[in-house]
C-alpha cells in the first residue's frame, strides 16, 4: 500500500451551516473544522507514528511523525454540502533512533482511527460553541448535530449516506469493508464543470423546501455559551469518573477496557465537546484515579530485534483497566460459589437416581457421570461444560426425573424464550427466560427444595448470574449452570461461566454426538480449542468453503445449494452474521422457491414484507398471549384477510393464530435464514453460512456446529474490483482474510483473572506500593 487515508468529516448539520450560513459564519465553521483536524491529527500522529521492522514485521520502532498531505473538500460526490478533509498518510516513517526509514505499522493507525474521530468531533463541538454559540443535540457514537437544524433538511442532504445504506441493504451486507465497497460502488465521477454559485443556489432552494431558511440558520447561532470539560481534580470531574466507573459505564458490556474506550466514553459524555488536550488530560486523570484498577499490559516479545533497533516500551496505549465494582462483583460471585461447594443442595435420593438413569437408554458414560454429579455432589452451584452437540439437554432429562421424584421443584431458565422452550422440550424442565424467572422470585422465592437449571449459561452476564446465585445461596437452593464458554459470548460484562469452569472441576461433556462425519467433529474440536488454521484447512480440503468473485454470486450459490438440500428432503437452514444479510437471503430464498413452483404469489403485504401461504416465518418478539416466542419458526398454513390474521404451524407442532398487527409492527419475518445468535441451540440436517470479515472464532464455531450432515461457508473474494467494472477474479487474499478472522476470538474473561495473572507475573520482591488500583 502506498498510504492510508484518514478522513475527518463534519456532521451534516455543520456542513449545512458552513454552506448556507453567511460569509462570517461559513468562515468560522471552516476555521473550526481545520483546528479540529489539526488537533485530532496531532494526537493520532503521537500514537501511531510507528514503523515495523524485522522478519514479518515483528518489531516496532517509534517514528518522529507522519509524512502526510491534507486536502479539504466542501462537497460530497452527490454534489451536496459535506465539509471534510482527507489526510493522506504515506506508508513510511522515519526513526530518530537510527535515521532509517521503514514501513508504517498500520495496526496502531487503525486501532486509533475511531477514537481520533471522536476527538475530532468533540473539539469541533467546542470550537463551534465558542465561535458561534451553537447548541447541540444528543451525542451518538461520538457525533452530534447542531441544535435547531431541521432533521428533514439533514436527511434531504444526506444522499451519499442513503446511497451507501441502500447498497448495503440491496446486497445484504454489513461491516466496515462492506461499507467501503458500497462507497466505491455508488460514487459518481466528479463534475469538473460544476460551479459553486450554481450549487449554492440549488442548495438554498432545497434547504428552504425542507424547513431550513436564513431565519432558522440565524436562530441556531448565539444560543449557547461554551462549556469546557471538567478539569481533573474538580467535583465535576469526579462525578464524571463515578459515572464511567459505574455498572452502567465502561463495564456495562465488557469486564475490562482500554484507553481507546475511555476516550470514546468521555467524548460521548461531553455535549459541548472540548479541546483534544483537555479530553486526553481528563482520560489520563481517570486512568490514574482510584476509580479504576490497572492491569499490566499483556505484551510478549517474540525473539529479539535486530542490533541497533529501538523497540517501543509498553505504555498506556496497550493497557487494560477494570473498576473496583466489577472486581467486587466477580469476587463476590466466586466466593459464593466456593462457599457453597458443600451445601448439600439438590441431592436426589439414590434409589430415585438409579431409577431415572435407565429411563434414557441412549445415555453415554460421560452423560451418566454428569447426571450422577449433579444429583449427588450437593454443591450449591454446579457448572457443566459441554461442547456443541454433546447432548447436554438430553442428559438433563434424567437429572430432572431424579430430582422431581425426590421432591425437588426444578425450574429452567435461559436468556432467550426460544432457548428456554428447547430446554423444556428436550429435558422436561419447566423453563422460561432468566429475566422472567428473576421477576417471579419476588412473589415466589426460592427454597431449599428448588433446583434452577440455567442453559446457555455462557451467554449470561456476570451481574445477572450473581443476582441469581445470591438468591439461591440465601435459600440454600441449587443452581446448575450448563453451557459452552467457547460459543457465542455474553452481551453484557461476562466471563463468569468460563471462570467458574476453570476453578471448579464440574461435569464435562466432550463428545460431539451431532456431526456425522468424523473429520467435521475433529475440525470443530480444533476450532473450539483455537487451532483455527487446521480447522480452516479441513473445511477447505473437504470443499466446504465456497468462494466466488462477487457478493451476489456467493449469496446466490448459497441459496441454490440450500434449495437443493431442501428438495432432497433435508431440514436446511441459512445463517448469516447480520440482519441485512439475513433479509437478503430470505428474499432470494422466496424467489428460488417460487421459481421451483414451491411458493405461490404473495397474498398480503404488511410493513416492508410480503407473505403467502406456505411461507416459512420467524417470530421476533415474545407474545405470551399468542403463545409465540421470539425465535419460533413456523409455516403459514392459512391467511384470513377478513379477520386479519395468519394461521401458522409452529416447528413444535402447534397451530397458532397470529394477527396482522404483529407482522405489521415488524415482529414477523421470513424464516428461511436467520442470524447466528438465533441459530445457536438449533439442530438441522444442513447449515449454510454466509461468512465475512466479521465472522469470529465463536461465530464460526456456533454456526458450523448446527448441521448434522454438513455445514458450508460461503464468501466473496473480490467484490470491489467487480463493482468498479473490472473482470472479477478469485482473490486468495480474501481466503486468508477469512482464515485470520476465524482465528480472532471475542470470548470474554473475568477481570479477576487478569489481576491474578498480573500478580503472579510480578517478582516477589517487587514493590506493589500504594498506587491507584492496587
Amino acid at each position: 500500500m502506498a498510504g492510508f487515508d484518514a478522513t475527518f468529516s463534519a456532521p451534516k448539520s455543520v456542513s449545512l451551516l458552513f454552506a448556507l450560513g453567511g460569509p462570517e459564519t461559513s468562515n468560522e465553521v471552516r476555521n473550526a473544522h481545520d483546528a479540529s483536524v489539526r488537533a485530532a491529527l496531532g494526537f493520532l500522529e503521537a500514537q501511531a507514528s510507528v514503523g515495523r521492522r524485522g522478519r514479518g514485521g515483528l518489531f516496532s520502532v517509534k517514528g518522529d511523525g507522519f509524512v502526510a498531505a491534507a486536502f479539504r473538500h466542501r462537497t460530497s460526490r452527490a454534489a451536496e454540502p459535506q465539509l471534510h478533509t482527507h489526510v493522506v498518510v504515506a506508508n513510511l516513517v522515519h526513526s530518530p533512533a537510527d535515521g532509517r526509514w521503514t514501513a508504517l505499522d498500520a495496526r496502531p493507525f487503525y486501532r486509533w482511527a475511531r477514537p481520533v474521530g471522536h476527538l475530532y468531533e468533540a473539539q469541533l463541538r467546542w470550537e463551534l460553541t465558542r465561535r458561534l454559540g451553537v447548541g447541540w443535540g444528543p451525542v451518538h457514537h461520538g457525533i452530534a448535530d447542531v441544535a435547531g437544524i431541521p432533521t428533514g433538511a439533514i436527511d434531504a442532504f444526506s444522499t451519499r449516506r442513503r446511497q451507501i445504506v441502500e447498497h448495503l441493504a440491496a446486497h445484504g451486507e454489513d461491516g466496515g469493508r462492506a461499507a467501503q465497497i458500497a462507497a466505491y460502488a455508488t460514487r459518481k465521477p466528479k463534475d469538473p464543470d460544476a460551479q459553486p454559485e450554481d450549487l449554492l443556489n440549488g442548495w438554498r432552494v432545497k434547504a428552504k423546501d425542507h424547513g431550513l431558511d436564513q431565519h432558522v440558520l440565524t436562530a441556531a447561532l448565539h444560543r449557547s455559551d461554551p462549556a469546557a470539560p471538567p478539569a481533573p481534580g474538580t467535583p465535576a470531574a469526579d462525578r464524571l469518573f463515578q459515572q464511567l466507573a459505574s455498572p452502567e459505564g465502561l463495564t456495562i458490556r465488557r469486564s475490562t477496557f482500554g484507553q481507546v474506550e475511555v476516550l470514546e466514553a468521555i467524548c460521548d459524555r461531553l455535549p459541548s465537546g472540548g479541546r483534544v488536550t483537555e479530553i486526553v488530560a481528563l482520560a489520563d486523570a481517570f486512568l490514574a484515579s482510584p476509580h479504576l484498577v490497572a492491569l499490566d499490559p499483556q505484551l510478549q516479545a517474540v525473539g529479539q530485534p535486530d542490533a541497533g533497533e529501538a523497540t517501543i516500551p509498553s505504555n498506556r496505549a496497550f493497557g487494560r483497566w477494570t473498576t473496583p465494582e466489577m472486581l467486587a462483583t466477580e469476587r463476590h460471585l466466586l466466593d459464593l460459589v466456593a462457599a457453597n461447594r458443600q451445601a448439600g443442595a439438590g441431592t436426589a435420593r439414590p434409589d430415585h437416581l438409579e431409577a431415572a438413569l435407565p429411563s434414557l437408554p441412549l445415555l453415554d458414560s460421560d452423560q451418566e457421570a454428569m447426571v450422577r454429579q449433579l444429583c449427588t455432589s450437593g454443591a450449591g452451584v454446579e457448572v457443566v461444560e459441554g461442547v456443541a452437540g454433546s447432548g447436554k439437554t438430553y442428559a438433563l432429562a434424567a437429572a430432572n426425573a431424579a430430582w422431581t421424584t425426590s421432591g425437588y421443584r426444578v425450574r429452567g431458565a435461559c436468556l432467550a424464550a426460544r432457548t428456554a422452550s428447547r430446554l423444556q422440550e428436550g429435558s422436561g424442565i419447566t423453563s422460561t427466560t432468566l429475566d422472567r424467572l428473576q421477576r417471579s422470585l419476588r412473589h415466589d422465592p426460592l427454597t431449599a427444595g428448588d433446583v434452577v437449571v440455567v442453559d446457555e449459561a455462557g451467554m449470561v452476564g456476570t451481574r445477572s448470574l450473581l443476582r441469581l446465585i445470591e438468591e439461591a445461596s440465601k435459600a440454600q437452593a441449587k443452581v446448575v449452570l450448563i453451557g459452552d464458554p467457547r460459543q457465542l459470548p455474553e452481551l453484557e460484562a461476562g466471563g463468569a461461566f468460563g471462570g467458574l469452569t476453570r476453578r471448579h472441576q464440574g461435569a464435562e461433556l466432550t463428545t460431539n454426538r451431532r456431526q456425522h462425519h468424523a473429520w467435521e467433529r475433529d475440525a470443530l474440536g480444533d476450532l473450539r480449542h483455537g487451532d483455527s488454521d487446521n480447522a480452516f484447512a479441513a473445511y477447505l480440503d473437504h470443499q466446504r468453503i465456497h468462494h466466488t468473485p462477487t457478493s451476489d454470486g456467493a449469496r446466490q450459490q448459497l441459496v441454490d445449494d440450500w434449495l437443493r438440500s431442501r428438495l432432497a428432503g433435508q431440514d436446511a437452514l441459512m445463517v448469516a452474521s447480520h440482519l441485512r444479510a439475513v433479509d437478503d437471503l430470505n428474499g432470494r430464498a422466496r424467489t428460488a422457491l417460487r421459481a421451483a413452483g414451491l411458493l405461490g404469489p404473495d397474498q398480503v403485504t404488511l410493513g416492508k414484507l410480503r407473505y403467502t401461504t406456505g411461507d416459512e416465518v420467524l417470530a421476533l418478539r415474545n407474545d405470551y398471549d399468542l403463545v409465540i416466542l421470539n425465535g419460533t419458526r413456523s409455516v403459514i398454513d392459512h391467511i384470513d384477510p377478513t379477520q386479519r390474521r395468519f394461521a401458522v404451524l409452529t416447528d413444535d407442532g402447534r397451530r397458532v393464530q397470529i394477527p396482522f398487527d404483529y407482522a405489521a409492527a415488524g415482529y414477523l419475518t421470513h424464516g428461511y435464514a436467520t442470524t447466528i445468535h438465533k441459530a445457536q441451540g438449533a439442530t438441522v440436517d444442513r447449515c449454510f453460512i454466509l461468512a465475512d470479515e466479521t465472522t469470529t472464532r465463536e461465530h464460526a464455531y456456533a454456526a458450523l456446529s448446527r448441521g448434522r450432515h454438513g455445514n458450508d461457508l460461503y464468501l466473496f473474494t473480490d467484490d470491489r474490483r467487480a463493482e468498479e467494472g473490472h473482470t472479477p477474479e478469485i482473490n486468495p487474499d480474501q481466503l486468508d482474510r477469512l482464515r485470520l478472522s476465524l482465528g480472532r476470538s471475542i470470548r470474554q474473561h473475568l477481570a479477576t483473572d487478569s489481576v491474578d495473572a498480573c500478580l503472579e507475573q510480578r517478582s516477589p520482591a517487587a514493590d506493589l506500593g500504594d498506587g491507584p488500583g492496587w
Side-chain angles (χ1 to χ4, degrees), residues 156-467:
F157 283 95
S158 299
T159 300
R160 284 297 289 134
R161 175 178 173 80
R162 284 198 304 276
Q163 290 172 343
I164 293 170
V165 170
E166 288 168 3
H167 184 279
L168 290 171
H171 289 72
E173 295 173 346
D174 270 279
R177 183 171 181 273
Q180 185 181 49
I181 291 172
Y184 282 117
T186 57
R187 69 179 184 179
K188 296 179 180 179
K190 296 178 180 178
D191 182 2
D193 298 324
Q195 297 299 315
E197 295 80 7
D198 296 335
L199 289 175
L200 183 57
N201 290 334
W203 293 341
R204 284 173 175 161
V205 172
K206 183 177 180 179
K208 189 173 182 180
D209 290 342
H210 290 87
L212 181 60
D213 55 22
Q214 289 301 314
H215 175 73
V216 174
L217 284 167
T218 302
L221 305 177
H222 310 299
R223 58 192 296 173
S224 298
D225 295 323
T234 64
D238 194 62
R239 287 193 296 271
L240 174 61
F241 293 172
Q242 290 177 18
Q243 294 173 13
L244 294 172
S246 73
E248 292 75 34
L250 285 157
T251 59
I252 189 171
R253 300 294 179 204
R254 307 286 295 188
S255 62
T256 67
F257 49 87
Q259 187 183 17
V260 165
E261 291 84 3
V262 170
L263 286 169
E264 291 176 353
I266 290 176
C267 289
D268 285 346
R269 286 166 172 78
L270 298 176
S272 298
R275 287 179 291 190
V276 169
T277 53
E278 294 173 325
I279 296 171
V280 171
L282 196 59
D284 286 344
F286 177 58
L287 293 173
S289 74
H291 293 280
L292 299 187
V293 176
L295 311 175
D296 278 355
Q298 302 298 307
L299 299 177
Q300 295 181 352
V302 180
Q304 295 295 325
D306 295 336
E309 289 190 352
T311 57
I312 301 175
S314 61
N315 55 50
R316 193 165 275 178
F318 297 96
R320 302 295 293 177
W321 287 261
T322 189
T323 65
E325 180 276 333
M326 187 78 255
L327 279 180
T329 297
E330 293 177 354
R331 285 171 173 159
H332 184 32
L333 183 148
L334 295 174
D335 290 346
L336 271 179
V337 173
N340 284 279
R341 295 302 293 168
Q342 306 297 326
T347 53
R349 285 178 47 179
D351 55 332
H352 290 158
L353 174 60
E354 297 305 323
L357 289 170
S359 66
L360 296 176
L362 298 181
L363 279 181
D364 281 349
S365 58
D366 61 342
Q367 292 172 310
E368 181 177 331
M370 164 192 146
V371 175
R372 290 188 180 279
Q373 177 159 337
L374 296 183
C375 295
T376 63
S377 74
V381 179
E382 201 82 54
V383 182
V384 178
E385 179 178 357
V387 303
S390 58
K392 298 183 287 289
T393 305
Y394 181 74
L396 280 173
N400 179 44
W403 280 321
T404 302
T405 55
S406 298
Y408 289 97
R409 178 177 61 164
V410 186
R411 304 162 78 172
C414 306
L415 278 184
R418 182 60 184 145
T419 310
S421 177
R422 289 195 188 104
L423 174 62
Q424 184 166 316
E425 292 167 14
S427 67
I429 299 171
T430 302
S431 304
T432 185
T433 65
L434 182 59
D435 184 58
R436 287 190 66 154
L437 172 66
Q438 290 182 324
R439 289 203 306 269
S440 73
L441 298 183
R442 301 169 189 167
H443 56 81
D444 184 16
L446 295 175
T447 69
D450 280 314
V451 175
V452 179
V453 176
V454 181
D455 197 12
E456 303 288 6
M459 296 182 68
V460 181
T462 300
R463 293 182 179 98
S464 294
L465 279 183
L466 176 59
R467 286 193 292 271

Side-chain angles (χ1 to χ4, degrees), residues 519 522-523 526 533-545:
W519 75 263
D522 292 341
D526 288 338
D533 286 353
N534 203 37
F536 183 84
Y539 281 97
L540 200 60
D541 290 344
H542 287 84
Q543 299 180 329
R544 294 293 186 81
I545 298 178

Side-chain angles (χ1 to χ4, degrees), residues 531-708:
D531 190 355
S532 56
D533 286 353
N534 203 37
F536 183 84
Y539 281 97
L540 200 60
D541 290 344
H542 287 84
Q543 299 180 329
R544 294 293 186 81
I545 298 178
H546 312 274
H547 47 101
T548 60
T550 66
S551 173
D552 182 75
R555 291 156 192 267
Q556 197 55 52
Q557 182 182 353
L558 187 156
V559 172
D560 291 344
D561 290 349
W562 165 83
L563 181 60
R564 277 192 288 270
S565 178
R566 280 176 61 102
L567 293 176
Q570 294 180 319
D571 180 15
L573 180 64
M574 297 183 289
V575 171
S577 298
H578 307 291
L579 288 174
R580 280 199 186 103
V582 168
D583 291 343
D584 178 71
L585 293 175
N586 276 324
R588 291 171 186 265
R590 298 184 81 242
T591 300
L593 289 169
R594 190 163 286 134
L598 300 176
L599 197 65
D602 294 325
Q603 295 173 256
V604 62
T605 300
L606 298 168
K608 296 180 180 180
L609 296 181
R610 299 174 180 178
Y611 305 90
T612 189
T613 303
D615 251 331
E616 291 185 14
V617 291
L618 181 74
L620 300 178
R621 181 171 177 169
N622 298 325
D623 192 316
Y624 294 99
D625 292 332
L626 298 175
V627 198
I628 196 83
L629 301 178
N630 182 1
T632 298
R633 296 170 68 191
S634 309
V635 176
I636 297 178
D637 184 56
H638 177 68
I639 297 177
D640 188 339
T642 304
Q643 298 294 324
R644 293 183 54 78
R645 64 188 182 188
F646 302 103
V648 303
L649 296 176
T650 66
D651 55 0
D652 57 1
R654 296 177 296 113
R655 186 179 177 88
V656 177
Q657 302 290 329
I658 299 180
F660 281 4
D661 289 345
Y662 182 90
Y667 304 145
L668 192 71
T669 189
H670 300 125
Y672 308 102
T674 187
T675 62
I676 294 175
H677 274 84
K678 286 192 180 299
Q680 180 162 311
T683 300
V684 295
D685 293 328
R686 293 290 303 275
C687 188
F688 303 87
I689 303 125
L690 187 64
D692 57 29
E693 76 274 11
T694 67
T695 306
T696 66
R697 184 193 308 166
E698 288 77 15
H699 286 107
Y701 179 63
L704 287 167
S705 58
R706 296 305 102 204
R708 303 181 188 92

Side-chain angles (χ1 to χ4, degrees), residues 12-23:
K12 183 60 67 174
S13 57
V14 174
S15 293
L16 291 174
L17 200 62
F18 166 71
L20 303 175

